[in-house]
């Protein structure tokens, strides 16, 4: 949808080769788009940002409310920081004009493939509508205080953000949107903070607070603080393992971010479906069921499926999304080399082994030794465990 007819015609021409695979419609106004969406369901909408009446962010907010499972992209020509936050809430991803056909095609294909593991439309709708995640209040307060310090260093900001699941996810979403014209993908919150700058982060931090609808996600057998601790430990362990394996910066950053975010799906499920999540915890406790098996039974999807779906929609780097989505079934990736997934899978299992059960932990948190053997990494295990121990002391 674009109010400029020439741009719209350009898009139409550019996407013509896709017409065998996609059903596409091109409209000139939000009103027209919304009227059409009433009649037919759309998997993806792609909208211009600046238009005379309703702007792109407002249009996508309406779409989010009425059709949350529809994937929402903004295609914008302007980089106006004020518009960034509006967009980044309502849009799953922000692309810049002009967008070459190959990029557009791959972004759309990637996003539409993500939901394959989710059988439930309810979950797709809930996840599609999520524009923020709960933060730990104490960490949030610390961050706000830090942001008020005029002498604050961008390094301190990056470090503090890296300790919070919600802030990490949000900052990586923002920095990986094409809006900022950063050519390479970013998985490190320190890099993200220095790209975005203190002012941008400050606005982001404050905008998150405006919607802290997730005050209490605590229930018996599930505690947000425990999940946080487990995530921080898994991230640290994944980083240690990546270092021992001599991984380069990109893989190292991916492993850390994915470790921090690997169980984000638990947060999404527990925050939105408290009753059903209680059922999951009961199945784990009383029937000794694995966490993913129990979630599968109750929701038709596991926390790994849900987390991978959300952060994939948000445009986080593919290796990070794969590591999140497959951390309990790593052999599904079919990649016979050391990846962020290998680091996170091992880190998660080793952290559970040494620290005991975390939030919603279960018998499933075990090392897939056959997978590690296939990667030729089985004999590396003692060295990883040693390095993890050294890190703690
Ligand atoms: Fe998990
Ligand atoms: Fe975990």
């Amino acid at each position: 949808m674009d109010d400029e007819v020439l741009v719209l015609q350009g898009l139409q021409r550019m996407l013509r080769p896709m017409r065998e695979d996609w059903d596409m419609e091109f409209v000139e106004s939000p009103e027209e788009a919304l009227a059409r969406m009433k009649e037919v369901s759309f998997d993806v909408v792609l909208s211009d940002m600046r238009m005379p009446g309703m702007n792109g962010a407002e249009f996508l907010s309406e779409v989010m409310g009425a059709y949350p499972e529809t994937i929402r992209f903004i295609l914008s020509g302007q980089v106006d920081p004020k518009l960034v936050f509006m967009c980044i809430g309502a849009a799953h991803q922000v692309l810049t004009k002009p967008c070459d056909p190959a990029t557009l095609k791959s972004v759309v294909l990637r996003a539409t493939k993500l939901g394959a593991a989710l059988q439930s439309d309810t979950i797709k709708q809930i996840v599609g509508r999520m524009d923020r995640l709960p933060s730990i209040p104490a960490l949030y307060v610390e961050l706000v205080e830090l942001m008020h310090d005029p002498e604050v260093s961008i390094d301190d900001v990056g470090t503090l953000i890296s300790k919070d699941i919600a802030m990490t996810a949000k900052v990586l979403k923002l920095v990986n949107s094409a809006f900022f014209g950063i050519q390479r993908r970013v998985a490190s919150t320190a890099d993200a903070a220095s790209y975005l700058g203190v002012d941008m982060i400050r606005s982001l931090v404050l905008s998150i607070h405006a919607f802290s609808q997730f005050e209490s996600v605590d229930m018996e057998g599930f505690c947000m603080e425990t999940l946080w601790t487990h995530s921080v430990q898994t991230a640290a362990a994944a980083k240690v393992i990546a270092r021992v394996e001599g991984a380069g910066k990109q893989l190292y950053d991916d492993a850390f971010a994915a470790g921090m975010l690997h169980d984000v799906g638990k947060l999404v499920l527990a925050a939105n479906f408290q009753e059903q999540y209680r059922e999951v915890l009961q199945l784990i406790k009383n029937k000794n069921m694995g966490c993913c098996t129990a979630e599968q039974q109750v929701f038709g999807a596991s926390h790994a499926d849900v987390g991978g779906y959300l952060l994939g929609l948000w445009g986080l780097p593919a290796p990070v999304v794969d590591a999140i989505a497959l951390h309990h079934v790593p052999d599904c990736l079919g990649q016979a080399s050391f990846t962020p997934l290998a680091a996170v899978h091992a880190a998660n299992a080793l952290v559970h082994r040494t620290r005991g059960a975390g939030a919603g932990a279960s018998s499933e948190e075990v090392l897939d030794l056959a997978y590690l053997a296939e990667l030729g990494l089985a004999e590396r295990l003692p060295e990883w465990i040693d390095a993890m121990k050294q890190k703690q002391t």
Side-chain angles (χ1 to χ4, degrees), residues 227 230-231 234 259 262-263 266 303 327-328 348-349 352 359 361 365:
L227 184 63
H230 166 68
S231 304
T234 304
H262 77 285
D263 279 338
K266 285 188 186 176
H303 67 277
H327 70 273
H328 291 285
N348 179 52
H352 275 296
E365 319 277 358

Side-chain angles (χ1 to χ4, degrees), residues 262 302-305 307-309 320-329 341:
H262 77 285
S302 75
H303 67 277
D305 300 328
Y309 183 57
V320 175
V321 174
D322 287 341
I324 295 166
L326 304 175
H327 70 273
H328 291 285
V329 283
L341 171 62

Side-chain angles (χ1 to χ4, degrees), residues 114-174:
L114 285 167
L118 303 183
Q119 288 154 20
S120 145
D121 282 342
T122 323
I123 298 211
K124 264 191 202 164
Q125 288 165 2
I126 292 280
V127 175
R129 208 185 288 139
M130 289 203 77
D131 57 351
R132 66 204 72 235
L133 292 159
S135 279
I136 288 278
L139 268 179
Y140 181 74
V141 169
E142 204 182 323
L143 196 55
V144 170
E145 270 170 18
L146 195 68
M147 302 307 326
H148 283 125
D149 176 357
E151 310 272 271
V152 63
S153 90
I154 202 71
D155 286 352
D156 292 346
V157 174
T159 308
L160 192 54
I161 288 172
S162 75
K163 293 182 188 162
D164 184 51
I165 298 175
M167 283 298 302
T168 297
K170 196 81 187 187
V171 163
L172 293 183
K173 178 187 183 188
L174 187 60

